[in-house]
Amino acid sequence: MSAAPSDSPGTPKVSEREARQVAEAAREQDWRKPSFAKELFLGRFRLDLIHPHPLPAADDVRRGEEFLAQLRDFCETKVDSSRIEREARIPDEVIAGLKELGALGMKIDQKYGGLGLTQVYYNKALALVGSANPAIGALLSAHQSIGVPQPLKIFGTQEQKDTFLPRLARTDISAFLLTEPDVGSDPARLATTAVPDGDDYVLDGVKLWTTNGVVADLLVVMARVPKSDGHKGGISAFVVEADSAGITVEQRNAFMGLRGLENGVTRFHQVRVPAANRIGPEGAGLKIALTTLNTGRLSLPAMCVGAGKWSLKIAREWSAVREQWGRPVAKHEAVGSKISFIAATTFALEAVLDLSSQMADEDRNDIRIEAALAKLYGSEMAWLMADELVQIRGGRGFETAESLAARGERAVPVEQLLRDLRINRIFEGSTEIMHLLIAREAVDAHLKVAGDLIDPEKSLGDKAKAGARAGGFYARWLPGLVAGPGQLPRSYAEFNPSGHRDLSGHLRFVERTSRRLARSTFYAMSRWQGRMETKQAFLGRIVDIGAELFAMSAACVRAELMRSEGEFGREAYQLADVFCRQSRIRAEELFERLWKNTDSVDHRIVDGVLGGAYTWLEQGIVDPSGEGPWIADASPGPSEHENQHRPIR
């Protein structure tokens, strides 16, 4: 029998409320800039925030395209994806070549030796290199999107930037270390400690799933500083040299997909880190991590866009030559609908990515919700597209590329795509966590004015003040949800140009549905009040509706941009129209399930499963699982393993 799960001895014990308080303290509290997605959830369709579509500067385009050309040549001539899959490792010479290209410094300013690419072109580069092999995309993304460069760029001192960024731009690979064996998306229970000792901190603890950790030269580590005289304490961020005494990479982990991923288990035992290497003040670690992820999350949908483009290419080429019953399979409606879904969804994902990225570059809008929606929607839809591609390929979709080649057919790694994409629904915030994170931001305006009303720990006086605030806010807000431009047949007429499909009706749908979504959220808050945070299935559907509305908006705006620039405008309008039709059906189904669902009975079944009421249903099988605890012991102390760290020079 396997041992029951248990907390590691060093893991802090915290209540659910304490965990929520830690997460709440780490999030950005204020909205200093407008947010299209935030307004969308409030029932206000602010098309002016995204249309006309923002555009990059000419010099940024020139430099970006020049680098993409070099990167494409490198991917075509130097990257052997089948070798990476076969050997489960990116060859050192490939990583060295990427360093020479400057790919480690795509997001690092030119004054530090980086390329200084915009977010738009950084994402285009990730889509390109990720299509060559997703493990390479993960390597570059983990290094720049969440590794040392991004937190230093936002929160680092000038001395830290001068010291580390030149190394990170050309030679040094970085990794981000937050997750622990018994701590995932609940950082309040973080067990790794950083104890002040003179001019240093002494780190002890174990980190799990350290992407790039096996080959990294520099680490950004989240650790808990104990509160003491002269030390505020709290979860804090540190830049740590990966070859410091006391650091051991105990294992290189292996996964279902991304076989070339350099991901490991890293132990810290009495590791001394200079106080000068702390990023930001003590206690700011989670805020630094969350702020870094605001744009860092855009790297995953970038690679999802690349996967969609490749899926479309393979679906087109295969479906044109494979015949069934005297016709190419693409001509059969059952297959054709899948191809339409892949094409339309790829167009929409690229629209969401480019719009969010360009808004990040311009820095006019707060894009924390947009980036989170892009990650959520991109990872979910890319997985569906890959699954449909497997179905289109039939048995060949399930067969490995190596096996296909061995019997003389084109080595098309469709099953690998499915395996590689699966992690994106977990990486950098699982779908379930993203639902909660986005939902929290979506209801922020409500909690600011009425949060004290539903907080059981607030006094009657606080509740009275909150009631007055709420009365004023809702007296202004609720009337705006009754009517809007979405009910006027000529609204958004510029999206109905002659000779093109009519997209104006889709934008009117978005405007109407935005108000409907806000009304549904308000009704749910009124109904459940303090229990709203426990209605995770409901909140997930609210967020998914918002994601569909955001994607529809982005698709329409992108189509109009392409029409205005004279580049495949008619085709773009066709793709946007089909996507919006598909998206509207999904949104309506989600609305139906807001109030007609099995959530309450599901809870009863879960209680029965956990209570052992249905163990009889598990009879008639054997369990091939091995022995051992569900969660490995992560008690601090010296390592008993050989160091697997292998920096690439």
Side-chain angles (χ1 to χ4, degrees), residues 610-622:
L610 296 180
Y614 310 118
T615 52
W616 51 268
L617 192 57
E618 300 167 10
Q619 295 174 8
I621 62 165
V622 293

PDB file of all heavy atoms in Angstrom, residues 610-622:
ATOM      1  N   LEU A 610     -14.511  10.375  -1.333  1.00  0.00           N
ATOM      2  CA  LEU A 610     -13.483  10.561  -0.308  1.00  0.00           C
ATOM      3  C   LEU A 610     -13.814   9.791   0.962  1.00  0.00           C
ATOM      4  O   LEU A 610     -12.916   9.366   1.695  1.00  0.00           O
ATOM      5  CB  LEU A 610     -13.326  12.055   0.005  1.00  0.00           C
ATOM      6  CG  LEU A 610     -12.813  12.921  -1.143  1.00  0.00           C
ATOM      7  CD1 LEU A 610     -12.693  14.378  -0.711  1.00  0.00           C
ATOM      8  CD2 LEU A 610     -11.460  12.428  -1.636  1.00  0.00           C
ATOM      9  N   GLY A 611     -15.108   9.603   1.228  1.00  0.00           N
ATOM     10  CA  GLY A 611     -15.509   8.861   2.414  1.00  0.00           C
ATOM     11  C   GLY A 611     -15.500   7.356   2.233  1.00  0.00           C
ATOM     12  O   GLY A 611     -15.787   6.609   3.166  1.00  0.00           O
ATOM     13  N   GLY A 612     -15.173   6.874   1.037  1.00  0.00           N
ATOM     14  CA  GLY A 612     -15.073   5.442   0.784  1.00  0.00           C
ATOM     15  C   GLY A 612     -16.374   4.769   0.419  1.00  0.00           C
ATOM     16  O   GLY A 612     -16.458   3.526   0.392  1.00  0.00           O
ATOM     17  N   ALA A 613     -17.419   5.547   0.096  1.00  0.00           N
ATOM     18  CA  ALA A 613     -18.728   4.955  -0.198  1.00  0.00           C
ATOM     19  C   ALA A 613     -18.741   4.165  -1.503  1.00  0.00           C
ATOM     20  O   ALA A 613     -19.615   3.314  -1.705  1.00  0.00           O
ATOM     21  CB  ALA A 613     -19.793   6.055  -0.250  1.00  0.00           C
ATOM     22  N   TYR A 614     -17.792   4.430  -2.380  1.00  0.00           N
ATOM     23  CA  TYR A 614     -17.833   3.791  -3.700  1.00  0.00           C
ATOM     24  C   TYR A 614     -16.606   2.935  -3.974  1.00  0.00           C
ATOM     25  O   TYR A 614     -16.268   2.671  -5.132  1.00  0.00           O
ATOM     26  CB  TYR A 614     -17.953   4.860  -4.793  1.00  0.00           C
ATOM     27  CG  TYR A 614     -19.054   5.870  -4.556  1.00  0.00           C
ATOM     28  CD1 TYR A 614     -18.753   7.215  -4.402  1.00  0.00           C
ATOM     29  CD2 TYR A 614     -20.381   5.471  -4.485  1.00  0.00           C
ATOM     30  CE1 TYR A 614     -19.755   8.147  -4.174  1.00  0.00           C
ATOM     31  CE2 TYR A 614     -21.391   6.392  -4.258  1.00  0.00           C
ATOM     32  CZ  TYR A 614     -21.072   7.731  -4.102  1.00  0.00           C
ATOM     33  OH  TYR A 614     -22.068   8.643  -3.872  1.00  0.00           O
ATOM     34  N   THR A 615     -15.939   2.498  -2.928  1.00  0.00           N
ATOM     35  CA  THR A 615     -14.732   1.690  -3.170  1.00  0.00           C
ATOM     36  C   THR A 615     -15.056   0.387  -3.890  1.00  0.00           C
ATOM     37  O   THR A 615     -14.194  -0.190  -4.567  1.00  0.00           O
ATOM     38  CB  THR A 615     -14.011   1.373  -1.848  1.00  0.00           C
ATOM     39  OG1 THR A 615     -14.957   0.797  -0.927  1.00  0.00           O
ATOM     40  CG2 THR A 615     -13.419   2.629  -1.238  1.00  0.00           C
ATOM     41  N   TRP A 616     -16.313  -0.065  -3.759  1.00  0.00           N
ATOM     42  CA  TRP A 616     -16.722  -1.272  -4.492  1.00  0.00           C
ATOM     43  C   TRP A 616     -16.603  -1.079  -6.004  1.00  0.00           C
ATOM     44  O   TRP A 616     -16.411  -2.045  -6.742  1.00  0.00           O
ATOM     45  CB  TRP A 616     -18.171  -1.636  -4.134  1.00  0.00           C
ATOM     46  CG  TRP A 616     -19.148  -0.490  -4.274  1.00  0.00           C
ATOM     47  CD1 TRP A 616     -19.519   0.386  -3.311  1.00  0.00           C
ATOM     48  CD2 TRP A 616     -19.845  -0.101  -5.461  1.00  0.00           C
ATOM     49  NE1 TRP A 616     -20.408   1.313  -3.796  1.00  0.00           N
ATOM     50  CE2 TRP A 616     -20.629   1.033  -5.123  1.00  0.00           C
ATOM     51  CE3 TRP A 616     -19.894  -0.587  -6.761  1.00  0.00           C
ATOM     52  CZ2 TRP A 616     -21.447   1.682  -6.056  1.00  0.00           C
ATOM     53  CZ3 TRP A 616     -20.703   0.052  -7.688  1.00  0.00           C
ATOM     54  CH2 TRP A 616     -21.473   1.177  -7.334  1.00  0.00           C
ATOM     55  N   LEU A 617     -16.699   0.183  -6.456  1.00  0.00           N
ATOM     56  CA  LEU A 617     -16.623   0.471  -7.889  1.00  0.00           C
ATOM     57  C   LEU A 617     -15.207   0.273  -8.415  1.00  0.00           C
ATOM     58  O   LEU A 617     -14.995   0.131  -9.619  1.00  0.00           O
ATOM     59  CB  LEU A 617     -17.094   1.908  -8.140  1.00  0.00           C
ATOM     60  CG  LEU A 617     -17.357   2.347  -9.577  1.00  0.00           C
ATOM     61  CD1 LEU A 617     -18.391   1.464 -10.257  1.00  0.00           C
ATOM     62  CD2 LEU A 617     -17.806   3.817  -9.612  1.00  0.00           C
ATOM     63  N   GLU A 618     -14.225   0.266  -7.508  1.00  0.00           N
ATOM     64  CA  GLU A 618     -12.827   0.132  -7.902  1.00  0.00           C
ATOM     65  C   GLU A 618     -12.402  -1.333  -7.997  1.00  0.00           C
ATOM     66  O   GLU A 618     -11.249  -1.621  -8.361  1.00  0.00           O
ATOM     67  CB  GLU A 618     -11.948   0.863  -6.884  1.00  0.00           C
ATOM     68  CG  GLU A 618     -12.259   2.354  -6.773  1.00  0.00           C
ATOM     69  CD  GLU A 618     -11.617   2.984  -5.548  1.00  0.00           C
ATOM     70  OE1 GLU A 618     -10.783   2.314  -4.890  1.00  0.00           O
ATOM     71  OE2 GLU A 618     -11.952   4.147  -5.235  1.00  0.00           O
ATOM     72  N   GLN A 619     -13.307  -2.250  -7.668  1.00  0.00           N
ATOM     73  CA  GLN A 619     -12.955  -3.671  -7.703  1.00  0.00           C
ATOM     74  C   GLN A 619     -12.854  -4.168  -9.147  1.00  0.00           C
ATOM     75  O   GLN A 619     -13.465  -3.626 -10.055  1.00  0.00           O
ATOM     76  CB  GLN A 619     -13.993  -4.479  -6.927  1.00  0.00           C
ATOM     77  CG  GLN A 619     -14.022  -4.160  -5.437  1.00  0.00           C
ATOM     78  CD  GLN A 619     -15.146  -4.865  -4.709  1.00  0.00           C
ATOM     79  OE1 GLN A 619     -15.825  -5.718  -5.286  1.00  0.00           O
ATOM     80  NE2 GLN A 619     -15.343  -4.518  -3.439  1.00  0.00           N
ATOM     81  N   GLY A 620     -12.053  -5.222  -9.339  1.00  0.00           N
ATOM     82  CA  GLY A 620     -11.912  -5.822 -10.663  1.00  0.00           C
ATOM     83  C   GLY A 620     -10.727  -5.311 -11.448  1.00  0.00           C
ATOM     84  O   GLY A 620     -10.646  -5.524 -12.664  1.00  0.00           O
ATOM     85  N   ILE A 621      -9.804  -4.612 -10.772  1.00  0.00           N
ATOM     86  CA  ILE A 621      -8.609  -4.092 -11.443  1.00  0.00           C
ATOM     87  C   ILE A 621      -7.375  -4.442 -10.628  1.00  0.00           C
ATOM     88  O   ILE A 621      -7.477  -4.902  -9.496  1.00  0.00           O
ATOM     89  CB  ILE A 621      -8.665  -2.545 -11.603  1.00  0.00           C
ATOM     90  CG1 ILE A 621      -8.719  -1.873 -10.224  1.00  0.00           C
ATOM     91  CG2 ILE A 621      -9.843  -2.115 -12.460  1.00  0.00           C
ATOM     92  CD1 ILE A 621      -8.413  -0.399 -10.240  1.00  0.00           C
ATOM     93  N   VAL A 622      -6.216  -4.219 -11.229  1.00  0.00           N
ATOM     94  CA  VAL A 622      -4.963  -4.207 -10.474  1.00  0.00           C
ATOM     95  C   VAL A 622      -4.353  -2.823 -10.641  1.00  0.00           C
ATOM     96  O   VAL A 622      -4.551  -2.159 -11.666  1.00  0.00           O
ATOM     97  CB  VAL A 622      -3.978  -5.287 -10.968  1.00  0.00           C
ATOM     98  CG1 VAL A 622      -4.518  -6.669 -10.672  1.00  0.00           C
ATOM     99  CG2 VAL A 622      -3.689  -5.124 -12.460  1.00  0.00           C
TER     100      VAL A 622
END
